[in-house]
Each structure stands twice: as C-alpha cells, then as structure tokens.
Amino acid sequence: MRLLPLLAGVLALSFGGSALAQPAPDLKAQCSSCHALEKPAAPSVERLWSRKGPDLWYAGAKFNRDWLVKWLQKPTTIRPGGVMWFNHAKPGEPRDTLDTASLPTHPAVDAATAAKLADALMALKGDGVVTPGAYKGEGANLAMGKLAFGKLRGCVACHQDKSGEGGVSGPQLYDAGDRLQPDYVQAYMKDPQAFDRFVWMPRLGLSDPDLQRITAYITTLKAGK
Ligand code: HEC
Ligand code: HEC
C-alpha cells in the first residue's frame, strides 16, 4: 500500500503540467515510421506502394508554414482515397467508390508542438527539387488556368479543384492556396517524376505559359472559398 502515494507522486510529476518537462518534438522518432524525411536512396515501386504516408523530405519547399501549424493540430483528409487510393476503393458499378471509413486518422498535437514540428519540417528543403522563383506570378490568366485544369489538360480526372468534384487518385487541390507554395505546384506539374521516379502522375509536357496559368489558378484555391 505504501506504493500508492509514491505512484501518485510520480504521476503528479510526469503529468504535472510543467511545459519544461515535455520532450522536444522529434520528427524522426514520431513521424519517420510513416513519412520519408530524407530522399529515398533507392526509389522503387515497392517503396512507393507500401508508403504509409506521403514523403516529407521536401516539406520546406512544399508547404506554407501557417497551414502546417493549423493542420498538425487538427488534421483533415487531403487525399480522399488515402495515400494509395486503390487500397480504399470498393469495386462497384458503374464505378468504384471510396471506403472512407477505412482511412486512418492522423495523430494530432497541441499548438506549441505543432509550431516546433512545423519549424523542423520547414528545414527539410528537398535537395533542390523545387527552384525558387520558377513561378513568376504575374500576368497569368486565371480563367485560362481553370479551363486548362478542367478541360484542356485533364488534371480534374485525378484532382478536385472543388470539394466533391473531380478525381480522387491524387491529392485534393481545392485548398492548395492555403497548403502549398506556388513554386512547388509549378515544379510538381512540370516534372512529377523529379520527386519520385515511380509516381503515377503523368509528365504532361506542359508549356511554360500553361505551367504559369495553372499554378496561378491552383494557388488561388482556398478552403471555404
Ligand atoms: C501512422 C502513420 C503516420 C504517422 C505516425 C504520421 N503521419 Fe503524417 N500522414 C500520414 C498519412 C496517411 C497522411 C496523408 C493524409 C491525407 O492525405 O489525407 C499524412 C499526412 C501528413 C502531412 C500532409 C502531407 C501532404 O502531403 O499533404 C503532414 C505535414 C504530416 N503528415 C506530418 C506528420 C508529422 C509531423 C508527423 C509526426 C509528428 C506525422 N505526420 C506522423 C500518416 C502518418
Ligand atoms: C493520372 C492522374 C493524374 C493526373 C492526370 C494529374 N495528376 Fe497531379 N497528381 C497525381 C497523383 C497521384 C499525385 C500525388 C503523387 C504522390 O504524392 O505520390 C499528384 C500530385 C500533384 C500535385 C502535388 C500535390 C501535393 O499535395 O503534393 C500537384 C500540384 C498536381 N498533382 C497538379 C496536377 C495538375 C495541375 C495536373 C494537370 C496539368 C495534374 N496534376 C494531373 C495524379 C494526377
């Protein structure tokens, strides 16, 4: 019975609310079981298909920090069908539907931890895979960008630019303006295989004007708009 007060004391110490006692957030320890934090030395189809989460080794060139801080506290779905949508597809007629109930929920953290994790993620610059300044951001025609996305270049077959409208095999893009840096969007569209040789988004051979106007369009898309 003597143990009980002792135990209570230990519990009070470890859960006593002292922020100082909390270990610093550690990407490697907490996140690397699901996310690649370094460029994979040997990319392969097997690695890509068995990934538990999207790659984060270029996170600092990809995300807006504000979005990261919010999302890490309250994660929401980004890929409607999960990292590998076909693992969550239910065969059906005339088309497959998604079994969204089988999607895992993402671990959430408190505000202070989210800020520290976001800083650590923003330090992962991604080996020059994104060229800063590639998106010029001027004079791009938004209406033409929307038309290219939806009709001319077929992005909408795999991506949604409006909630519930469009394909589900790629990440949703209707919040891309909150989530993604324009130079990243431009770089990804230009050459998806630069990020992973085996990624199944096709290299579409887009002209520079197309890259500029589609990037302009996608990065105006914000949640709740
Ligand atoms: C159990 C596996 C798992 C763990 C552990 C995990 N994640 Fe994730 N993470 C995922 C999955 C799955 C997604 C994709 C969610 C989606 O697309 O809807 C994701 C998405 C993300 C995204 C958005 C990526 C994108 O491309 O849009 C970020 C940022 C992220 N995780 C950060 C973290 C951090 C930081 C940690 C550690 C504190 C962590 N994750 C731990 C599975 C995990
Ligand atoms: C055949 C399906 C397909 C088509 C067509 C396609 N994409 Fe993708 N796209 C994908 C997939 C799948 C990914 C995610 C790959 C991964 O993370 O493994 C992706 C990723 C992206 C990303 C990065 C998003 C993120 O959250 O990291 C952007 C931006 C993008 N696509 C834009 C476009 C645009 C613009 C077009 C049209 C010009 C297009 N895509 C056409 C399948 C497609």
Side-chain angles (χ1 to χ4, degrees):
M1 283 299 113
R2 289 259 164 81
L3 270 177
L4 271 179
L6 184 64
L7 194 62
V10 171
L11 283 177
L13 264 183
S14 42
F15 296 103
S18 157
L20 286 175
Q22 276 182 15
D26 180 345
L27 282 183
K28 208 169 165 114
Q30 294 171 256
C31 322
S32 67
S33 58
C34 297
H35 295 286
L37 302 173
E38 282 167 31
K39 189 174 185 172
S44 68
V45 176
E46 290 72 29
R47 183 202 81 94
L48 196 73
W49 287 22
S50 61
R51 278 185 312 174
K52 293 205 202 108
D55 292 351
L56 293 178
W57 55 270
Y58 45 84
K62 166 170 178 172
F63 297 108
N64 291 322
R65 186 182 177 280
D66 288 354
W67 178 86
L68 278 177
V69 175
K70 281 190 209 134
W71 189 85
L72 289 168
Q73 295 173 67
K74 223 173 156 225
T76 49
T77 304
I78 298 161
R79 291 158 193 75
V83 193
M84 297 305 298
W85 62 277
F86 47 74
N87 291 337
H88 299 278
K90 290 188 288 193
E93 294 294 337
R95 57 173 65 190
D96 296 356
T97 51
L98 290 175
D99 178 13
T100 44
S102 70
L103 290 175
T105 46
H106 199 272
V109 298
D110 64 29
T113 310
K116 288 187 189 137
L117 288 171
D119 286 338
L121 286 169
M122 293 308 288
L124 305 177
K125 288 294 182 204
D127 239 4
V129 77
V130 173
T131 310
Y135 172 61
K136 305 284 181 273
E138 49 190 48
N141 184 320
L142 285 183
M144 283 304 292
K146 183 175 166 65
L147 196 65
F149 188 92
K151 296 220 158 68
L152 305 176
R153 303 290 172 248
C155 319
V156 79
C158 303
H159 295 283
Q160 304 186 18
D161 59 344
K162 199 172 167 198
S163 179
E165 286 177 25
V168 295
S169 57
Q172 70 198 26
L173 294 176
Y174 53 82
D175 59 352
D178 296 323
R179 191 162 64 89
L180 304 174
Q181 297 177 28
D183 286 334
Y184 167 79
V185 171
Q186 205 264 9
Y188 206 98
M189 242 192 292
K190 186 172 182 186
D191 187 5
Q193 282 71 37
F195 293 79
D196 188 304
R197 201 140 59 83
F198 297 97
V199 91
W200 67 98
M201 171 165 157
R203 186 162 187 236
L204 293 156
L206 300 167
S207 66
D208 196 54
D210 256 350
L211 290 171
Q212 298 294 334
R213 55 174 85 103
I214 301 175
T215 302
Y217 170 60
I218 290 177
T219 51
T220 57
L221 302 173
K222 308 219 161 154
K225 257 182 72 181

